[in-house]
Amino acid sequence: MITLTSSAVDHLKGLIASRDQETSGVKIGISTKGCSGLSYTMEFVDKIDQNDEMFIFDDVKIFVDKKASLFLIGTQMDYVKGELESGFKFVNP
């Protein structure tokens, strides 16, 4: 369904490790954004929702909202660092 680059996995590991509370993983979803369509959402998961799909990448648990599943098929999540900005990038075919 979704794949993560090693850069994305490494950055997520660091973010999860820096939290003060126990974190089960990261949840990826979608939301509507203006007239341009959809945008990706990410949030830490402290309590697992049994309705979410779970994927594990090198010990990092990724939870996907079932409503977002169809929009994430074949998507690759990367973490990119540039001179002026850095962040997660979703490449969707």
Side-chain angles (χ1 to χ4, degrees):
M1 170 178 305
I2 187 170
T3 59
L4 275 67
T5 64
S6 59
S7 178
V9 170
D10 291 343
H11 194 72
L12 285 171
K13 282 182 178 181
L15 289 174
I16 292 169
S18 70
R19 293 198 77 208
D20 290 337
Q21 60 193 38
E22 188 172 325
T23 302
S24 298
V26 174
K27 183 174 183 173
I28 299 174
I30 55 168
S31 67
T32 54
K33 186 173 183 181
C35 58
S36 63
L38 302 171
S39 65
Y40 298 100
T41 62
M42 290 178 55
E43 61 186 345
F44 290 110
V45 173
D46 298 323
K47 184 178 177 189
I48 297 173
D49 181 342
Q50 298 301 321
N51 294 316
D52 291 340
E53 296 182 66
M54 183 180 71
F55 303 91
I56 301 174
F57 299 91
D58 195 18
D59 296 329
V60 174
K61 293 179 184 172
I62 300 294
F63 299 92
V64 175
D65 184 333
K66 285 199 182 236
K67 294 179 281 185
S69 294
L70 289 175
F71 299 100
L72 292 173
I73 294 173
T75 298
Q76 181 186 58
M77 181 178 159
D78 192 11
Y79 183 79
V80 292
K81 261 187 188 177
E83 283 187 42
L84 300 175
E85 66 180 0
S86 60
F88 290 101
K89 178 180 176 183
F90 291 86
V91 180
N92 191 325

